[in-house]
Amino acid sequence: MRHLDSMLVWLLTLLTFQASADFQIPRGLDANDRVRALKVLGLGTSNKFLSNAYPLGGYGGLEVSLSIEAIDVEEISKLGNTSSPTSTVFYPKFTIGKGLYNDSDIFFHFIPFNETTGVSKYGLSYRWSFYQALFFPLNFSVIGHAGSANIDNGIVTRNLGADLTIGMMLSDFSMYFGGGWVSSTGDFTGGDATAPTCLGVTDTCREERAKVGSAHYVFGATYNIKPIFIGLSIDRYQDEVYNLKFGFLF
């Protein structure tokens, strides 16, 4: 078990530091570029649920986990004045979840800013399992979430969303799928329009705001090796985002 713990931590750490340090948001983004960038980076960094399909309060009570999310950013480098091409950005996320009364859970996640990933993030999710079948391991849940992210000091996003999920738990294996809606508002940094070189990412050299929304579909699965669990999910917005999680349930 100890060897498995070390291997998983090493894998997550390796993926984190393989995040491209060359990823930069291009300068000179016009209105259309800003919308497209927000669809990829704003929606892509919105809160993602990945945990046991069964409520924590009815299973263990506390989750402490580390996950790695992967976003395809190849298109971003072609926007505006273009930048060095980068295909995928990996970034880590720490999550603490606590089971509450009435089959509900609350999750807090955060990403400290570092130069390797260029991403910092924090947010909250709340899950309420409003129906659990008596003779079949099936439950229905509503998940609401809100969060904010800073991406390369060029875009600050604020995301809101909600999902309806159907989950099933069979012994140590659980899976869920569902969908909902998420909206993202992004503030793009400007600069001094009178300076010889604009220090921001917008074509106007002023701070600009954009807002997008999208349907959201998710499929995820977890496997418990008590007290450890491993999870994998695929979230579909305008693009797919992949999420690998390793954590502990107490």
Side-chain angles (χ1 to χ4, degrees), residues 110-128:
F110 64 96
I111 302 171
F113 183 83
N114 67 78
E115 295 182 358
T116 302
T117 62
V119 177
S120 64
K121 186 172 180 286
Y122 64 91
L124 283 172
S125 298
Y126 176 79
R127 173 175 64 171
W128 173 43

Side-chain angles (χ1 to χ4, degrees), residues 151-169:
I151 305 165
D152 193 35
N153 287 322
I155 309 175
V156 176
T157 69
R158 294 176 300 282
N159 304 315
L160 290 171
D163 296 295
L164 173 66
T165 63
I166 302 173
M168 180 172 63
M169 192 158 188

Side-chain angles (χ1 to χ4, degrees), residues 24-29 76-85:
Q24 293 181 339
I25 298 174
R27 300 179 186 274
L29 299 179
I76 300 298
S77 63
K78 302 175 183 178
L79 301 177
N81 297 335
T82 72
S83 63
S84 301

Side-chain angles (χ1 to χ4, degrees), residues 7 19 35 37 39-40 42 51 138 153 155 197 201 204 216 218 230:
M7 182 180 69
V35 168
K39 286 181 178 179
V40 175
S51 187
L138 194 69
N153 287 322
I155 309 175
T197 302
V201 300
T204 62
H216 169 230
V218 60
I230 306 168

Side-chain angles (χ1 to χ4, degrees), residues 54-193:
Y54 194 79
L56 295 178
Y59 184 80
L62 178 67
E63 172 191 318
V64 179
S65 60
L66 169 66
S67 59
I68 297 294
E69 297 183 8
I71 300 179
D72 184 351
V73 296
E74 185 174 4
E75 185 178 353
I76 300 298
S77 63
K78 302 175 183 178
L79 301 177
N81 297 335
T82 72
S83 63
S84 301
T86 302
S87 58
T88 306
V89 166
F90 300 92
Y91 60 90
K93 184 175 72 176
F94 298 94
T95 301
I96 300 173
K98 183 66 182 72
L100 306 175
Y101 63 91
N102 198 27
D103 294 322
S104 61
D105 310 309
I106 190 167
F107 297 85
F108 171 71
H109 72 263
F110 64 96
I111 302 171
F113 183 83
N114 67 78
E115 295 182 358
T116 302
T117 62
V119 177
S120 64
K121 186 172 180 286
Y122 64 91
L124 283 172
S125 298
Y126 176 79
R127 173 175 64 171
W128 173 43
S129 180
F130 62 89
Y131 175 78
Q132 299 177 27
L134 293 178
F135 303 106
F136 195 74
L138 194 69
N139 71 85
F140 291 76
S141 300
V142 173
I143 302 169
H145 56 84
S148 178
N150 181 327
I151 305 165
D152 193 35
N153 287 322
I155 309 175
V156 176
T157 69
R158 294 176 300 282
N159 304 315
L160 290 171
D163 296 295
L164 173 66
T165 63
I166 302 173
M168 180 172 63
M169 192 158 188
L170 299 172
S171 186
D172 294 325
F173 176 79
S174 77
M175 60 181 293
Y176 62 91
F177 64 92
W181 183 263
V182 61
S183 66
S184 180
T185 301
D187 291 325
F188 294 75
T189 58
D192 184 356

Side-chain angles (χ1 to χ4, degrees), residues 3-81:
H3 292 296
L4 178 61
D5 296 356
S6 301
M7 182 180 69
L8 290 171
V9 171
W10 176 84
L11 175 61
L12 291 172
T13 303
L14 176 64
L15 287 173
T16 299
F17 284 98
Q18 281 185 339
S20 175
D22 295 330
F23 172 67
Q24 293 181 339
I25 298 174
R27 300 179 186 274
L29 299 179
D30 61 24
N32 292 330
D33 292 336
R34 294 192 292 269
V35 168
R36 183 54 190 155
L38 193 58
K39 286 181 178 179
V40 175
L41 299 173
L43 297 176
T45 56
S46 63
N47 295 19
K48 300 164 193 67
F49 177 81
L50 177 54
S51 187
N52 264 332
Y54 194 79
L56 295 178
Y59 184 80
L62 178 67
E63 172 191 318
V64 179
S65 60
L66 169 66
S67 59
I68 297 294
E69 297 183 8
I71 300 179
D72 184 351
V73 296
E74 185 174 4
E75 185 178 353
I76 300 298
S77 63
K78 302 175 183 178
L79 301 177
N81 297 335

